[in-house]
Amino acid sequence: MKNVYLDNNATTRMADEVLAEMMPFLTDRYGNPSSMHTFGGENRHVVDRARQQVAELLGCHADEIIFTGCGTESDNTAIRGIAYLDKKKQHIITTRVEHPAVRTTCRQLQREGFRLTELPVDEKGRLNLDDLRQALTDDTALVSVMFANNETGVLFPLAQIAAVVKERGAILHTDAVQVVGKIPIDLSRLPVDLLSFSGHKLHGPKGVGVLYIRRGTSLLPLLLGGHQEFGKRGGTENVAGIVGVGKACELAREHLDEENKRVGKLRDRLEQGILKNCPDVKINGDVNNRLPNTTNIGFEYIEGEAILLMLDRLGIAASSGSACTSGSLEPSHVLRAMGIPFTSVHGAIRFSLSRYNTEQEIDYVIREIPALIKRLRELSMFTLKDASPQAPYERKPQITATAKTP
Ligand code: 7TS
């Protein structure tokens, strides 16, 4: 079997219906929505319709939605846009397990003089609400807490977090890049002020992000320029991309419930199949509270990169941590924050599914993995089995070839 794509938290296949909807705006209907003439002006309605489609998925008003260039831009716009607004408030709270789009932005603000609190998580990746309560002060400008973790799928209890933050009158932003389109969100009941997501994670196009800004919440725009997006994000609109993300939201709304269940069952089948057939394997994260499509599996005593390469040869695409941090060989900051033992953190693999995965694909992966893991453990250069959980790698003595006697 070829090409089993299980890296949907990195990006997803665009739905055929989305591409069909976008096509006219990549070809004949290229007008600028801000133009006075009908040819451009018609595209204003198209952008507004997409705004409505997004709002219907999130349970908010269309005028609370702005389109950006990606999830990262939405995160940056929300965080910097709030931080720079009120000079009297110089404190920001976030968590230790955020995606770099949030983490790096908050750390940059810290370098600029803001006080930053990064809340810890427990061994299952859960936040302690008392830590949040204690961290909040009168000068807390912003709390930025992800909705679900991209590496483990663990969900933070946003409703409870919002209640705590609102008690102290701070602004709450959530990075929902991994959540929108996977589980229902109803912003008419969830009092967050800002929420970010990205088109390409829910079978929409790349190059378009969304930021929800609750009515009455002011922010300083990150991109200054024209009056587009209610003056909150200058730049000619990516009409095709916006049409695509609108359609992706409409499709998610129609199919979310049934797909959720189906994808969840496939994920559980994969997990059970691997747990049953491979020794020394653990699931990382709170299994009772996570996205239905994600599992993070720690294969002890081997390197994640080696597993990924072997899987790749079999046509199976998965990931170790986030594609945004891979390439660095640094173990995942998320798993380290959870205190996952050293012997397991390096061999952690994230499998993330989507509506396009099938039972046959999952069974193929379950069939192939045990032999692959066994082989890698035999080949392993590292004596991790004998190492203490926190110890650095101990290399086995190199076996040097003995010179042949002539
Ligand atoms: N926030 C979260 C929680 C994410 O998972 C990602 C992408 C982003 C922000 C950035 O979104 P973008 O549209 O700007 O790329 N996450 C991942 C991942 O987990 N593997 O590759 C990309």
Side-chain angles (χ1 to χ4, degrees):
M1 184 176 289
K2 277 279 159 216
N3 298 332
V4 179
Y5 185 75
L6 298 177
D7 198 12
N8 287 278
N9 287 7
T11 197
T12 59
R13 184 202 143 158
M14 200 158 75
D16 295 342
E17 299 92 321
V18 169
L19 178 63
E21 200 91 354
M22 288 169 67
M23 221 40 189
F25 304 95
L26 292 166
T27 50
D28 301 334
R29 297 183 62 182
Y30 51 82
N32 187 327
S34 300
S35 296
M36 288 295 288
H37 45 73
T38 314
F39 182 61
E42 276 175 349
N43 283 354
R44 161 79 29 230
H45 304 300
V46 166
V47 168
D48 287 340
R49 198 186 54 168
R51 224 184 283 288
Q52 187 61 39
Q53 287 166 315
V54 175
E56 278 167 21
L57 178 65
L58 298 181
C60 65
H61 305 286
D63 60 13
E64 295 176 308
I65 297 300
I66 68 164
F67 294 108
T68 67
C70 56
T72 302
E73 189 191 320
S74 297
D75 285 338
N76 272 260
T77 304
I79 295 167
R80 288 164 179 267
I82 295 297
Y84 294 143
L85 196 65
D86 182 352
K87 291 220 157 49
K88 291 193 292 298
K89 297 200 168 186
Q90 292 287 304
H91 180 221
I92 295 165
I93 299 176
T94 186
T95 79
R96 287 199 193 149
V97 295
E98 299 296 315
H99 184 274
V102 168
R103 202 162 108 100
T104 324
T105 307
C106 290
R107 288 187 173 185
Q108 175 57 30
L109 288 170
Q110 185 181 33
R111 278 193 286 277
E112 291 171 23
F114 286 84
R115 280 187 302 115
L116 179 64
T117 305
E118 290 184 351
L119 299 171
V121 294
D122 70 8
E123 75 290 350
K124 292 199 166 167
R126 295 172 300 199
L127 269 186
N128 179 342
L129 288 181
D130 282 334
D131 289 343
L132 171 62
R133 230 173 252 118
Q134 278 160 27
L136 280 157
T137 64
D138 290 339
D139 84 331
T140 305
L142 175 74
V143 178
S144 181
V145 171
M146 68 201 318
F147 207 140
N149 189 272
N150 49 312
E151 294 189 25
T152 59
V154 171
L155 285 155
F156 281 154
L158 247 286
Q160 293 171 47
I161 290 169
V164 173
V165 173
K166 290 292 117 191
E167 240 170 58
R168 289 302 294 261
I171 299 284
L172 176 61
H173 164 248
T174 188
D175 174 342
V177 166
Q178 292 297 344
V179 179
V180 176
K182 292 181 187 156
I183 58 170
I185 296 179
D186 183 0
L187 290 170
S188 70
R189 289 157 181 267
L190 185 68
V192 303
D193 302 294
L194 302 124
L195 177 145
S196 323
F197 76 95
S198 191
H200 70 103
K201 307 276 187 189
L202 70 153
H203 307 292
K206 293 174 184 60
V208 59
V210 176
L211 179 61
Y212 157 81
I213 309 170
R214 186 173 289 276
R215 282 182 184 170
T217 307
S218 315
L219 55 70
L220 287 183
L222 187 69
L223 293 193
L224 299 168
H227 56 271
Q228 293 93 347
E229 299 305 296
F230 314 113
K232 290 179 174 131
R233 200 269 188 180
T236 300
E237 296 88 339
N238 169 7
V239 178
I242 290 170
V243 165
V245 74
K247 184 68 184 175
C249 286
E250 184 190 297
L251 292 173
R253 188 160 157 256
E254 278 167 20
H255 303 297
L256 198 134
D257 282 346
E258 90 216 35
E259 271 168 11
N260 222 346
K261 284 194 197 104
R262 199 182 74 82
V263 169
K265 273 195 195 141
L266 286 182
R267 189 271 314 269
D268 293 346
R269 185 183 182 93
L270 175 67
E271 232 169 37
Q272 292 314 317
I274 291 175
L275 285 175
K276 203 168 122 216
N277 298 316
C278 296
D280 295 323
V281 167
K282 285 192 193 112
I283 308 297
N284 294 317
D286 182 5
V287 291
N288 298 318
N289 220 346
R290 57 181 175 156
L291 295 170
N293 80 317
T294 308
T295 178
N296 188 305
I297 305 187
F299 296 92
E300 296 210 62
Y301 318 122
I302 15 178
E303 293 285 316
E305 279 70 20
I307 305 173
L308 289 181
L309 288 175
M310 301 272 277
L311 286 174
D312 193 44
R313 281 204 214 151
L314 297 166
I316 302 165
S319 152
S320 64
S322 151
C324 313
T325 41
S326 64
S328 65
L329 288 188
E330 271 287 298
S332 144
H333 71 281
V334 175
L335 300 182
R336 274 183 301 156
M338 290 159 64
I340 303 293
F342 176 79
T343 45
S344 182
V345 89
H346 279 273
I349 301 293
R350 172 183 77 181
F351 296 98
S352 48
L353 285 66
S354 85
R355 71 167 88 128
Y356 294 113
N357 290 121
T358 63
E359 213 169 276
Q360 287 88 322
E361 288 178 338
I362 297 303
D363 289 347
Y364 169 66
V365 179
I366 294 172
R367 262 198 322 276
E368 296 293 338
I369 280 209
L372 182 158
I373 297 298
K374 187 163 177 281
R375 176 132 188 277
L376 279 176
R377 284 196 178 133
E378 284 162 5
L379 287 174
S380 175
M381 284 179 64
F382 302 108
T383 55
L384 283 176
K385 206 150 191 157
D386 306 323
S388 78
Q390 307 305 332
Y393 279 149
E394 291 169 28
R395 279 175 185 275
K396 269 186 190 167
Q398 288 284 312
I399 302 165
T400 41
T402 29
K404 282 194 187 133
T405 35

